[in-house]
C-alpha cells in the first residue's frame, strides 16, 4: 500500500516537472478555488460575491512586448486562428492570452479598407464606445489585402505538426536515398534564422564564398571551432580558430589578434594565455580570406552551436550541420541544448574540455565525430523528442562492443608540426593542453598568411543571398482553413469578402464554409443585413468593407446636402454596430482598419 502511495507521489512529481507554466498556473488557480469553496462550507461566507457569470467570460489580453517587429500579419492570423480553433490544434500565440477560451463562442473579423487620414477626419461613435481604448497599430504587411486574406485562409501548423511533417518527409527521403545523403542533416534557412545565425547582407558579415554549389551526398564536411576573449572592442572577440577536414586533419589553426585590447583571456574556457598572444599579427580579415580560399563551394560546415562561431568569425555560410541541433538525448529539444562535452561523453565515450584545458581543435574534432555518427545512424538517432531512447542505445552498444566504451578511437602517433611550405613559419597553434589530440594529426601545408596569398579558391554557381528569398517563400508550413473546419464538427466559417485568387484555393466549400460575395448584393447595407441575419451559427465570420463603397444614410434634412461631399461615416458606424450586435455572447471581435500606410486593430470580447 505504502509502495503504491509512494509511486503515486513520485509520478506526480515527474508530471509536474514536465508541466507547462500555463497548466501549472491553471491548476494553482483551481486549487485556490477549491480551497475557497471548502472555506465557504465551514463557516465564514466570502464578503464579496462576484458574479459567477464573470468567471465564465473569456478575457483577451495582449503582451505587446512580445510582438516583435515585422511578421505582424503572421501574429495577427495566429491570434485569429487561435480564437477560432483553440490550443488543441493551433499553436498558442506568444503575444496574447485568452483566459476561459472554451467559453469563446464566436470570432468576428472585420477588415475595413480606409484612406490614410481616416482617423484624423472621422470619428466613429460605435468604435469609441464598444472598444473603449483597446486598439493598437499593426505592421505595414497588413495593408496588402490579398496577403491578409491569404494568411487568414491558411492556418499555420502548430509546432508539433510542423516537426512531425518535416521528420516524416525527411525520413522518407532518407530511406529512399540511403544513409549517406548528408544534405538532410543541414539546418534549414528557417532553423538558422530562429537560432540567430549571421545572414548575408547583415552589417559586417562576410560570406564564406561568393558563389556556392548545391550540396550532394559527397559534399565534404569541415568542422570549425572558435575561442573568444573579452576585449575593449566587444564582449567576445575571436582569438583562436581551428578548421579541420573529414579525416580529422587540421586545415587551419591560428591565433587571431582582436581589434580591441584583451581585458579577459577567460583562459579556463578559451585555453588562451597572454604569452600565447604575444607577437600575433593575424587579423580577422586574414582568417576570413583564408577560409574563403580553403572551403570548397559545397562545404558542409560542422560545429556545436555554430551560430556563435560564425558570429565570432563574422561570417555566414548556407550549409551548416549543428550537432546540438542533430543530437539531443534529453527531452526538450527546443529549450535545452546538450553541451558538446556531454554529447562527446555520451555518444563517443571520450573526454574533452578536461582540467587540462580547452583546445579549439579538440572541440572541432568532437563535433566532427558526432556529425559523422549522426549521418551514419539517421534522422531519428540521438533525438529524444523523435522517440529515440538513450538507455536502449546503450544496451545495443554493450551488445556490440562489450561492457565499457561506446566507441573506440584509433589515434595516430604524435606528429611534429611541419613548418609552412611558403615561409617556414608555424602552421598550427602551440596548444597548451596536455597530450592534446591536435598534436596527433597532420597540420596544414601553409600558414594563414601564405594561404591567403597563394591559394586560388574554387567557386560554385549560385549566390546564396539571391536564392535566400525564393527559399523563404517555399517553406511556409500552412494548411487551408477548410481542413481545420472539417476536423471539428462544431466549426464553420462565413466568408464575406471579395478575393477570388484566395477563394480559388478552397476547392471544397460545402456546408462548413459559407461564401457571401459583397458584390452579389445590390447595396452594402443589404449585404450586411443578410450576413447579420445568418451568422449566428458560424464560429467565425470574416467580412471586408470598402469604406468608399458604403452608401451614405438617407438625409433627414435635404439642405445639408448642398455643395458638400456626402459623408458616409454614419452609415459605416451603423454597419459595424449591426455586425457586432448580430454576434453571439462571448464573441471575440476584431476590426482592422487598413490604409496603405497605417493599420489599426480594435479588439474586444462581447
Ligand atoms: Zn590542442
Ligand atoms: Zn607561411
Amino acid at each position: 500500500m505504502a509502495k503504491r502511495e509512494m509511486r503515486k507521489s513520485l509520478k506526480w512529481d515527474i508530471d509536474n516537472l514536465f508541466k507547462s507554466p500555463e497548466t501549472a498556473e491553471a491548476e494553482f488557480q483551481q486549487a485556490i478555488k477549491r480551497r475557497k469553496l471548502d472555506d465557504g462550507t465551514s463557516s465564514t461566507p466570502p464578503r464579496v460575491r462576484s458574479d459567477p457569470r464573470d468567471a465564465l467570460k473569456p478575457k483577451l489580453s495582449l503582451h505587446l512586448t512580445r510582438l516583435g517587429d515585422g511578421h505582424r500579419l503572421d501574429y495577427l492570423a495566429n491570434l485569429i486562428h487561435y480564437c477560432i480553433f483553440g490550443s488543441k490544434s493551433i499553436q498558442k500565440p506568444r503575444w496574447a492570452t485568452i483566459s476561459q477560451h472554451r467559453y469563446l463562442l464566436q470570432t468576428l473579423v472585420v477588415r475595413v479598407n480606409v484612406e490614410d487620414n481616416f482617423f484624423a477626419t472621422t470619428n466613429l461613435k460605435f468604435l469609441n464606445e464598444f472598444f473603449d481604448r483597446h486598439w493598437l497599430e499593426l505592421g505595414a504587411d497588413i495593408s496588402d489585402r490579398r496577403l491578409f486574406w491569404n494568411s487568414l485562409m491558411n492556418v499555420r501548423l502548430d509546432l508539433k505538426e510542423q516537426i512531425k511533417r518535416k521528420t516524416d518527409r525527411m525520413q522518407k527521403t532518407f530511406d529512399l536515398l540511403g544513409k549517406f545523403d548528408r544534405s538532410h542533416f543541414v539546418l534549414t534557412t528557417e532553423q538558422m534564422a530562429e537560432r540567430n545565425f549571421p545572414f548575408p547582407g547583415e552589417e559586417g558579415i562576410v560570406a564564406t564564398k561568393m558563389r556556392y554549389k548545391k550540396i550532394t551526398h559527397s559534399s565534404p564536411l569541415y568542422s570549425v571551432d572558435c575561442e573568444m576573449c573579452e576585449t575593449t572592442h566587444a564582449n567576445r572577440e575571436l582569438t583562436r580558430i581551428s578548421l579541420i577536414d573529414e579525416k580529422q586533419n587540421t586545415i587551419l589553426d591560428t591565433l587571431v589578434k582582436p581589434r580591441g585590447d584583451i581585458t579577459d583571456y577567460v583562459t579556463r574556457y578559451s585555453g588562451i594565455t597572454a604569452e600565447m598572444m604575444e607577437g600575433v599579427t593575424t587579423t580577422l580579415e586574414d582568417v576570413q580570406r583564408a577560409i574563403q580560399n580553403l572551403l570548397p563551394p559545397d562545404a558542409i560546415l560542422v560545429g556545436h552551436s555554430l551560430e556563435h562561431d560564425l558570429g565570432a568569425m563574422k561570417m555566414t555560410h548556407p550549409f551548416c550541420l549543428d550537432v546540438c541541433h542533430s543530437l539531443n538525448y534529453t527531452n526538450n529539444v527546443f529549450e535545452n541544448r546538450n553541451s558538446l562535452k556531454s554529447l562527446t561523453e555520451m555518444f563517443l565515450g571520450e573526454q574533452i574540455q578536461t582540467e587540462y584545458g580547452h583546445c579549439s581543435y579538440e572541440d572541432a574534432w568532437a563535433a566532427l565525430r558526432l556529425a559523422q555518427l549522426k549521418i551514419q545512424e539517421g534522422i531519428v538517432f540521438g533525438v529524444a523528442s523523435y522517440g529515440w531512447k538513450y538507455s536502449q542505445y546503450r544496451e545495443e552498444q554493450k551488445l556490440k562492443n562489450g561492457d565499457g566504451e561506446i566507441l573506440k578511437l584509433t589515434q595516430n602517433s604524435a606528429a611534429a608540426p611541419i613548418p609552412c611550405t611558403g615561409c617556414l613559419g608555424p602552421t598550427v597553434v602551440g596548444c597548451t593542453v596536455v597530450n592534446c589530440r591536435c598534436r596527433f594529426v597532420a597540420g596544414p601545408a601553409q600558414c594563414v598568411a601564405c594561404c591567403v596569398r597563394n591559394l586560388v579558391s574554387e567557386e560554385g554557381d549560385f549566390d546564396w543571398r539571391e536564392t535566400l528569398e525564393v527559399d523563404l517563400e517555399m517553406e511556409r508550413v500552412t494548411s487551408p482553413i477548410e481542413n481545420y473546419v472539417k476536423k471539428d464538427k462544431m466549426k464553420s466559417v462565413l466568408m464575406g469578402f471579395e478575393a477570388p485568387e484566395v477563394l480559388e484555393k478552397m476547392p471544397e466549400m460545402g456546408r462548413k464554409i459559407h461564401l457571401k460575395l459583397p458584390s452579389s448584393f445590390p447595396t452594402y447595407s443589404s449585404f450586411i443585413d443578410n450576413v447579420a441575419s445568418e451568422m449566428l451559427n458560424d464560429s467565425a465570420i470574416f467580412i471586408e468593407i470598402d469604406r468608399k463603397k458604403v452608401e451614405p444614410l438617407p438625409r433627414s434634412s435635404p439642405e445639408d446636402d448642398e455643395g458638400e461631399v456626402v459623408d458616409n461615416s454614419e452609415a459605416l458606424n451603423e454597419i459595424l454596430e449591426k455586425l457586432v450586435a448580430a454576434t453571439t455572447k462571448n464573441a471575440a471581435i476584431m476590426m482592422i482598419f487598413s490604409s496603405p500606410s497605417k493599420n489599426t486593430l480594435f479588439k474586444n470580447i462581447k
Side-chain angles (χ1 to χ4, degrees):
M1 196 61 184
K3 218 175 191 177
R4 189 185 291 171
E5 282 302 312
M6 213 161 80
R7 205 179 295 152
K8 220 193 230 170
S9 102
L10 191 66
K11 190 183 174 304
W12 190 83
D13 280 345
I14 291 169
D15 284 347
N16 258 339
L17 268 179
F18 294 102
K19 207 169 272 171
S20 71
E22 286 88 352
T23 340
E25 173 65 13
E27 287 196 0
F28 176 67
Q29 295 298 347
Q30 254 172 13
I32 288 181
K33 219 183 270 169
R34 262 204 305 273
R35 201 154 177 189
K36 276 185 185 154
L37 285 177
D38 288 345
D39 284 349
T41 50
S42 61
S43 58
T44 46
R47 248 183 286 164
V48 185
R49 286 192 60 188
S50 57
D51 187 342
R53 279 169 304 178
D54 276 356
L56 306 183
K57 191 170 167 61
K59 193 167 171 279
L60 169 64
S61 6
L62 302 183
H63 316 290
L64 295 184
T65 46
R66 294 186 205 161
L67 190 65
D69 295 332
H71 298 299
R72 300 284 177 100
L73 180 53
D74 264 14
Y75 281 48
L76 177 66
N78 182 206
L79 174 60
I80 290 169
H81 294 142
Y82 176 64
C83 282
I84 304 170
F85 300 108
S87 60
K88 258 188 217 156
S89 43
I90 304 291
Q91 186 76 27
K92 263 190 185 173
R94 262 194 290 179
W95 66 293
T97 40
I98 299 173
S99 56
Q100 303 292 353
H101 181 281
R102 68 205 140 121
Y103 298 114
L104 195 64
L105 298 179
Q106 202 172 46
T107 305
L108 170 66
V109 178
V110 184
R111 178 190 171 94
V112 189
N113 300 320
V114 295
E115 55 280 17
D116 274 342
N117 61 352
F118 178 75
F119 287 107
T121 56
T122 323
N123 189 20
L124 294 185
K125 197 163 155 267
F126 172 70
L127 273 194
N128 296 337
E129 280 168 7
F130 179 72
F131 291 102
D132 196 7
R133 279 163 303 155
H134 297 279
W135 59 271
L136 74 149
E137 295 294 339
L138 290 175
D141 49 351
I142 290 174
S143 297
D144 185 330
R145 55 178 296 276
R146 192 190 59 86
L147 268 184
F148 176 86
W149 289 120
N150 209 34
S151 28
L152 255 58
M153 300 312 285
N154 291 287
V155 183
R156 189 162 203 125
L157 299 177
D158 77 1
L159 220 47
K160 259 194 208 142
E161 187 64 18
Q162 281 184 40
I163 293 166
K164 206 179 148 290
R165 280 196 190 194
K166 181 155 208 146
T167 28
D168 283 356
R169 200 174 60 213
M170 279 165 68
Q171 189 65 52
K172 261 180 214 152
T173 342
F174 191 74
D175 295 341
L176 204 72
L177 293 176
K179 288 192 164 190
F180 295 99
D181 195 344
R182 303 172 165 195
S183 55
H184 290 100
F185 302 94
V186 167
L187 293 175
T188 64
T189 317
E190 277 77 7
Q191 288 165 337
M192 287 171 70
E194 255 166 47
R195 286 158 178 260
N196 264 323
F197 271 70
F199 271 94
E202 279 174 34
E203 210 190 319
I205 297 296
V206 174
T208 48
K209 284 274 154 197
M210 294 293 286
R211 301 179 82 76
Y212 296 93
K213 223 197 259 171
K214 205 170 172 264
I215 45 172
T216 65
H217 61 92
S218 60
S219 291
L221 304 179
Y222 285 84
S223 188
V224 72
D225 187 68
C226 294
E227 304 297 349
M228 278 81 96
C229 292
E230 289 175 18
T231 74
T232 50
H233 182 74
N235 195 19
R236 301 170 93 200
E237 262 196 277
L238 181 68
T239 40
R240 183 184 172 186
I241 177 167
S242 299
L243 181 71
I244 72 172
D245 69 9
E246 266 177 55
K247 295 190 183 111
Q248 308 175 16
N249 290 323
T250 306
I251 296 298
L252 176 110
D253 182 20
T254 183
L255 294 165
V256 186
K257 184 181 165 56
R259 258 178 237 182
D261 297 328
I262 296 178
T263 51
D264 189 346
Y265 286 86
V266 269
T267 307
R268 216 185 118 209
Y269 301 104
S270 67
I272 307 282
T273 61
E275 296 81 66
M276 283 168 86
M277 293 304 290
E278 266 170 39
V280 172
T281 53
T282 307
T283 62
L284 175 65
E285 286 73 24
D286 294 334
V287 168
Q288 289 173 339
R289 252 171 285 143
I291 285 177
Q292 287 169 335
N293 260 340
L294 289 167
L295 287 183
D298 65 336
I300 298 173
L301 213 51
V302 173
H304 182 276
S305 296
L306 256 175
E307 70 271 30
H308 296 145
D309 299 290
L310 284 165
M313 294 152 70
K314 299 211 173 294
M315 292 189 98
T316 174
H317 186 80
F319 316 122
C320 293
L321 195 167
D322 200 321
V323 291
C324 81
H325 178 82
S326 314
L327 297 168
N328 194 311
Y329 57 84
T330 43
N331 215 3
N332 200 336
V333 76
F334 301 106
E335 304 291 336
N336 301 320
R337 296 176 177 198
N338 299 143
S339 70
L340 182 62
K341 187 176 166 63
S342 63
L343 287 173
T344 307
E345 272 164 34
M346 295 294 250
F347 290 103
L348 306 177
E350 298 273 354
Q351 297 282 327
I352 54 162
Q353 302 170 1
T354 58
E355 68 269 30
Y356 298 121
H358 270 229
C359 167
S360 49
Y361 171 87
E362 205 171 54
D363 286 0
W365 167 86
L368 173 75
R369 293 283 313 273
L370 288 166
Q372 287 171 324
L373 181 65
K374 174 73 182 185
I375 291 169
Q376 184 191 309
E377 298 292 332
I379 304 282
V380 176
F381 176 78
V383 185
S385 62
Y386 294 167
W388 181 88
K389 286 194 177 65
Y390 183 74
S391 51
Q392 204 178 323
Y393 171 67
R394 184 85 210 190
E395 284 306 308
E396 285 165 14
Q397 287 302 312
K398 265 188 196 162
L399 283 179
K400 248 193 249 172
N401 303 335
D403 243 354
E405 305 276 298
I406 293 178
L407 280 169
K408 291 253 163 75
L409 168 80
T410 48
Q411 247 178 14
N412 305 325
S413 51
I418 302 163
C420 171
T421 52
C423 67
L424 299 178
T427 54
V428 290
V429 173
C431 182
T432 55
V433 178
V434 178
N435 266 335
C436 186
R437 285 184 179 87
C438 70
R439 304 213 190 112
F440 293 87
V441 292
Q446 291 184 333
C447 71
V448 173
C450 291
C451 159
V452 171
R453 227 175 297 132
N454 302 336
L455 275 175
V456 182
S457 69
E458 183 198 349
E459 291 291 328
D461 43 30
F462 73 87
D463 182 328
W464 186 34
R465 196 175 171 181
E466 276 169 22
T467 49
L468 210 53
E469 286 155 359
V470 187
D471 211 41
L472 279 175
E473 194 66 25
M474 244 165 46
E475 273 279 344
R476 282 197 63 90
V477 206
T478 59
S479 169
I481 198 167
E482 57 164 310
N483 293 343
Y484 284 80
V485 171
K486 265 193 244 159
K487 255 191 277 175
D488 192 330
K489 268 188 196 157
M490 305 295 288
K491 306 285 182 201
S492 62
V493 182
L494 190 158
M495 305 195 306
F497 58 87
E498 221 93 39
E501 63 287 2
V502 173
L503 299 173
E504 252 169 40
K505 292 186 200 141
M506 303 272 133
E508 271 180 76
M509 294 292 178
R511 281 178 300 127
K512 309 280 278 171
I513 293 188
H514 311 136
L515 186 58
K516 283 188 194 294
L517 295 180
S519 61
S520 63
F521 291 85
T523 61
Y524 247 117
S525 75
S526 59
F527 163 63
I528 296 299
D529 283 343
N530 184 281
V531 168
S533 67
E534 290 185 21
M535 66 191 238
L536 196 66
N537 294 322
D538 288 311
S539 28
I541 301 102
F542 297 160
I543 302 290
E544 183 172 25
I545 294 166
D546 232 331
R547 198 257 165 124
K548 267 183 271 154
K549 292 186 193 152
V550 172
E551 309 83 11
L553 294 177
R555 295 279 171 163
S556 48
S557 44
E559 60 263 36
D560 284 2
D561 264 347
E562 273 175 42
E564 277 180 33
V565 183
V566 198
D567 180 22
N568 64 1
S569 49
E570 279 288 321
L572 180 61
N573 198 57
E574 202 178 285
I575 281 176
L576 300 178
E577 194 169 1
K578 207 178 264 179
L579 280 173
V580 171
T583 57
T584 64
K585 67 166 188 174
N586 291 356
I589 318 281
M590 276 175 256
M591 291 194 184
I592 297 104
F593 287 78
S594 177
S595 76
S597 68
K598 209 174 156 188
N599 293 284
T600 313
L601 165 71
F602 290 82
K603 54 97 193 165
N604 199 2
I605 287 179
K606 194 171 100 165

